[in-house]
Amino acid sequence: MHLVPPREAERLSALHALGILDTPPEAHFDAVCRLACTLFSVPHAWVSLVDADRLWCKAASGITFGPTPRGAAFCDHAILSDAPLVVVDATADPRFRDRAIVNGPFRMRFYAGIPLFLRPGLPLGTLCIGDTVPRQLPPAELERLRDLGEVVVAQLRHYEARVASETEAARRRASEAALSEANRNLSLAEQMAHIGHWRVDLASGAMTWSDEVCRLHGRAPGDPASGIAEALTYYHPDDRERIAGLVVEARERRTGFHFKARLVRRDGEERVVVSHGICQEDEAGTVVALFGSVQDVTEIDRAEAELRASTALLDATLAHMDQGLLMIDEAGAVRVCNERALALLDLPREMMRAAPSFDAVRRHQLAQDDFARCDGTLREVLAHAPLAIQPRTYEHERANGTVLEIRTVPLPTGGAVRTYTDITARKAAEAQVTHMARHDALTGLPNRALFRDSLDQRLAALRRHGGTCGLLCLDLDAFKAVNDTLGHLAGDTLLREVAGRIRACLRREDLPARLGGDEFAILLGGEADAHSAAATAERLVAALRRPVDLGGQEAVIGVSIGIAFAPEHGLDGDTLLKRGDLALYRAKSEGRNTYRHFAAAMDRAAEERRRNEADLREGLRGGAFSLHYQPVFDLATGRVTALEALARWHHPTRGTLAPAAFLPLAEETGLIAPLGEWILRTALAESAAMPPEIRLVVNVAGGQLRQAGFVAAVRDAVLATGQPPERLELDVAEAAIAAESGRLKDLAALGVGIAFDAFGAGASSLGALRRLPFGQVKLDRALAASVATPETADFVRAVVALAGALGMRATAKGVETDAQLAALREAGCVAAQGFLFGRPAPFGELSPLLRGGVRRPETPRSRSA
């Protein structure tokens, strides 16, 4: 994380407002940097602007760098106060000694930076000088550096003034454009509304028309009539005298006028227009002009005629619409009742033709027992309450099973329109959706949500009334192998078969559920005891042990079951499920394909695991870890080619622990992420002392690969230590490959080597070997232990040949004897590691080995990580 000044948001706003970021070099800025190098006799000077997450170099002399992470240099510290930042020797300053600018190619040791304040409290960046040797900066030189900083600030203020000037010019242009746009909009509005304006100057008789009035008269824009007399000639002869009289009367009485008349255009077309006029007076009250508007209402007149013609069509629509409709007037009489309402409500046609009251309609519905399926309160409201206070929208199931959605819309004059929509099919579909939301789509069993609701209700009843409750937690054995080898379709078929067998083993009152994946649970109905629960579990184990035919492929799985009871093992759902899971884990750890009852010792084991987790967290915080390294030898040259980093935990009571003692716990608890990052950064830092031809090997767990930011963390660790990425090799075991989500290709793109670790330890995926960017295959130590057998030797030769065909090297792990080494060399392995060559040791103890060849063990060594 980088440091942030107090007014960071305001500072960034001022910086971005300058528009200076990412601009080309400018001579006056570069001149300041050259002058600084000369004045202070330093090789480097630069002007750095501090953005939100980067440092950007505006000008420089003697140094070149592009955009840099904000926390990678000195400037993020230099802008934190008004005072200059002077670092005499960066290698001795804990704030900066690990940064790339100090350890990288620049080797910067001395630094002095002046914050550049555009305004008080707003440092936009720094003017910096630097040297590759430690040095002091006397007060007089510091003042000169401040003076140079003011020169840079003056240039920044010049930028600010230029931006302000450009902004004002843009504002003026926008105002002018807005005025022009307003005039265009007025013209467009008149054109769209078919309305224009006109004015007659009574002194001169001159007449002006807007362009839209010209268009209404069939004249070109800008070609108005010469005066009132000519304008009158455009109207129909039958309307001219009436219009002329209205104009004269308006002038004499100083009043407005209004008329509707027919306009005859030059092409003979008649248009209907409406004109409004007023008298315009001067300050003395003398009428000086007539001003008015004219609107073409031909289409409106035509629309009114069409509206009258469409009344019959509307009546036909009401008669055939899918919704029932009643319109009740302000007196409560039903004025409109369409055919659909008659059918949906079973209303007598004769009664509705007589415009009955709405109360009469309700009495008819009561007689048919239409409100029988409503709850009591709603039934009372629907049967007797005034229409105005009834619900605006509600659903009503009639006695015949039809479900209606009823909407009431009040009318402004009183009364209301009520519509009736048949939603019977929709309600059935919603019921199906609700069922699907509470049941597993694949197996049809209740899902986790429904199971948890049922469990909580059962436990609430137990807390109130007493009794017992039995819970079985199930997890399929070997399901993942079937899913991986036969595919997801086969896995789905298997889960459906499992669900059917579970149902067949249970009573009607038992509730089975699929919680997710291959996890199931059963809530036993009635009073439960250990004997009846065990009998159910035995039936389930026997049923799920039988082979399943998956389209010609036979799959054999099993089930592990944990049993817990309420109230004996808890009276809340979380506790009971947790203890059922603990019993399930015990069944798995004791051989699978069996069941176990919860016992208090399982809680103690869980508590022990929690204590171990707490110790591991404390060990991470307290620096209780160190790294040992095991060498990897090239079998052709006999020299060390790589060192594999292996963590050691110095436990306060259990002593020094190897990875096998804590990595599984770290993976389960999520602590593998911070632990793995510590291992990576520490190993990279220590690798700086290794000979450059030695590669660094670091193991990566699945929990790290699942992290969205893992690739960035590797990149940052490599950049922070200055090591070339090609020197780093990440070993990924098969169990972690499933979590990689494309991140291995991203890591390979950084230049980091990727190796398939412990190949042959399980059902290793040849597809993954081909698909993912591995550069090396590392054979599991179990293969080295049994390589003398013909079967293992043949397998190793096949793997080595496959690796070669895919362009990968083959390395053997866990080599302990000369016989194993000879067999592995014969099989084609090109590199090996193991206790035959050297135990894992701190880096300081490996220096002699890094200068020599292969070392043979003097005494037999036992295998350990």
Side-chain angles (χ1 to χ4, degrees), residues 20 206 266 324 327 333 435 489 500 580 683 700:
I20 195 173
R266 284 183 172 179
M327 190 191 78
H435 174 84
L489 291 178
V700 174

PDB file of all heavy atoms in Angstrom, residues 20 206 266 324 327 333 435 489 500 580 683 700:
ATOM      1  N   ILE A  20      -1.865  17.552 -17.769  1.00  0.00           N
ATOM      2  CA  ILE A  20      -0.435  17.438 -18.064  1.00  0.00           C
ATOM      3  C   ILE A  20       0.048  16.004 -18.117  1.00  0.00           C
ATOM      4  O   ILE A  20       1.086  15.701 -18.698  1.00  0.00           O
ATOM      5  CB  ILE A  20       0.376  18.241 -17.006  1.00  0.00           C
ATOM      6  CG1 ILE A  20       1.818  18.440 -17.488  1.00  0.00           C
ATOM      7  CG2 ILE A  20       0.306  17.550 -15.644  1.00  0.00           C
ATOM      8  CD1 ILE A  20       2.630  19.334 -16.611  1.00  0.00           C
ATOM      9  N   ALA A 206     -46.649  46.135 -43.184  1.00  0.00           N
ATOM     10  CA  ALA A 206     -45.758  45.017 -43.498  1.00  0.00           C
ATOM     11  C   ALA A 206     -46.126  43.797 -42.651  1.00  0.00           C
ATOM     12  O   ALA A 206     -46.453  43.923 -41.464  1.00  0.00           O
ATOM     13  CB  ALA A 206     -44.313  45.415 -43.245  1.00  0.00           C
ATOM     14  N   ARG A 266     -51.818  27.181 -52.723  1.00  0.00           N
ATOM     15  CA  ARG A 266     -51.632  27.463 -54.150  1.00  0.00           C
ATOM     16  C   ARG A 266     -51.938  26.258 -55.030  1.00  0.00           C
ATOM     17  O   ARG A 266     -52.373  26.394 -56.163  1.00  0.00           O
ATOM     18  CB  ARG A 266     -50.198  27.920 -54.400  1.00  0.00           C
ATOM     19  CG  ARG A 266     -49.934  29.348 -53.959  1.00  0.00           C
ATOM     20  CD  ARG A 266     -48.511  29.755 -54.311  1.00  0.00           C
ATOM     21  NE  ARG A 266     -48.275  31.166 -54.068  1.00  0.00           N
ATOM     22  CZ  ARG A 266     -47.105  31.775 -54.280  1.00  0.00           C
ATOM     23  NH1 ARG A 266     -46.067  31.069 -54.703  1.00  0.00           N
ATOM     24  NH2 ARG A 266     -46.974  33.069 -54.049  1.00  0.00           N
ATOM     25  N   GLY A 324     -62.032  -9.836 -18.531  1.00  0.00           N
ATOM     26  CA  GLY A 324     -63.364  -9.359 -18.197  1.00  0.00           C
ATOM     27  C   GLY A 324     -63.287  -7.915 -17.741  1.00  0.00           C
ATOM     28  O   GLY A 324     -62.293  -7.501 -17.132  1.00  0.00           O
ATOM     29  N   MET A 327     -67.414  -1.508 -15.832  1.00  0.00           N
ATOM     30  CA  MET A 327     -67.250  -0.100 -15.513  1.00  0.00           C
ATOM     31  C   MET A 327     -68.428   0.316 -14.644  1.00  0.00           C
ATOM     32  O   MET A 327     -69.592   0.178 -15.031  1.00  0.00           O
ATOM     33  CB  MET A 327     -67.207   0.761 -16.767  1.00  0.00           C
ATOM     34  CG  MET A 327     -66.782   2.203 -16.459  1.00  0.00           C
ATOM     35  SD  MET A 327     -67.021   3.331 -17.850  1.00  0.00           S
ATOM     36  CE  MET A 327     -68.777   3.609 -17.744  1.00  0.00           C
ATOM     37  N   ALA A 333     -73.741   2.062 -10.427  1.00  0.00           N
ATOM     38  CA  ALA A 333     -74.380   1.223 -11.439  1.00  0.00           C
ATOM     39  C   ALA A 333     -73.324   0.688 -12.402  1.00  0.00           C
ATOM     40  O   ALA A 333     -72.370   1.383 -12.764  1.00  0.00           O
ATOM     41  CB  ALA A 333     -75.427   2.018 -12.206  1.00  0.00           C
ATOM     42  N   HIS A 435     -41.790 -24.847  -6.255  1.00  0.00           N
ATOM     43  CA  HIS A 435     -41.321 -26.198  -5.944  1.00  0.00           C
ATOM     44  C   HIS A 435     -39.870 -26.367  -6.381  1.00  0.00           C
ATOM     45  O   HIS A 435     -39.040 -26.920  -5.636  1.00  0.00           O
ATOM     46  CB  HIS A 435     -42.211 -27.219  -6.655  1.00  0.00           C
ATOM     47  CG  HIS A 435     -41.737 -28.638  -6.510  1.00  0.00           C
ATOM     48  ND1 HIS A 435     -42.033 -29.419  -5.420  1.00  0.00           N
ATOM     49  CD2 HIS A 435     -40.957 -29.402  -7.327  1.00  0.00           C
ATOM     50  CE1 HIS A 435     -41.470 -30.603  -5.559  1.00  0.00           C
ATOM     51  NE2 HIS A 435     -40.812 -30.619  -6.714  1.00  0.00           N
ATOM     52  N   LEU A 489     -22.045 -36.136 -17.282  1.00  0.00           N
ATOM     53  CA  LEU A 489     -23.338 -36.762 -17.576  1.00  0.00           C
ATOM     54  C   LEU A 489     -23.489 -38.064 -16.807  1.00  0.00           C
ATOM     55  O   LEU A 489     -24.552 -38.354 -16.240  1.00  0.00           O
ATOM     56  CB  LEU A 489     -23.476 -37.008 -19.075  1.00  0.00           C
ATOM     57  CG  LEU A 489     -23.621 -35.750 -19.948  1.00  0.00           C
ATOM     58  CD1 LEU A 489     -23.711 -36.136 -21.419  1.00  0.00           C
ATOM     59  CD2 LEU A 489     -24.857 -34.958 -19.538  1.00  0.00           C
ATOM     60  N   GLY A 500     -32.635 -42.127  -5.791  1.00  0.00           N
ATOM     61  CA  GLY A 500     -33.674 -43.142  -5.777  1.00  0.00           C
ATOM     62  C   GLY A 500     -33.432 -44.200  -4.721  1.00  0.00           C
ATOM     63  O   GLY A 500     -34.364 -44.651  -4.033  1.00  0.00           O
ATOM     64  N   GLY A 580     -23.095 -33.633  13.115  1.00  0.00           N
ATOM     65  CA  GLY A 580     -23.293 -34.681  12.125  1.00  0.00           C
ATOM     66  C   GLY A 580     -22.127 -34.744  11.153  1.00  0.00           C
ATOM     67  O   GLY A 580     -21.681 -35.834  10.763  1.00  0.00           O
ATOM     68  N   ALA A 683      12.145 -16.743  -0.465  1.00  0.00           N
ATOM     69  CA  ALA A 683      13.018 -17.523  -1.331  1.00  0.00           C
ATOM     70  C   ALA A 683      13.615 -16.661  -2.435  1.00  0.00           C
ATOM     71  O   ALA A 683      14.808 -16.777  -2.754  1.00  0.00           O
ATOM     72  CB  ALA A 683      12.233 -18.694  -1.928  1.00  0.00           C
ATOM     73  N   VAL A 700       3.593 -24.621  -5.154  1.00  0.00           N
ATOM     74  CA  VAL A 700       2.357 -23.829  -5.155  1.00  0.00           C
ATOM     75  C   VAL A 700       1.187 -24.753  -4.842  1.00  0.00           C
ATOM     76  O   VAL A 700       1.045 -25.823  -5.442  1.00  0.00           O
ATOM     77  CB  VAL A 700       2.133 -23.153  -6.524  1.00  0.00           C
ATOM     78  CG1 VAL A 700       0.782 -22.470  -6.572  1.00  0.00           C
ATOM     79  CG2 VAL A 700       3.242 -22.147  -6.786  1.00  0.00           C
TER      80      VAL A 700
END
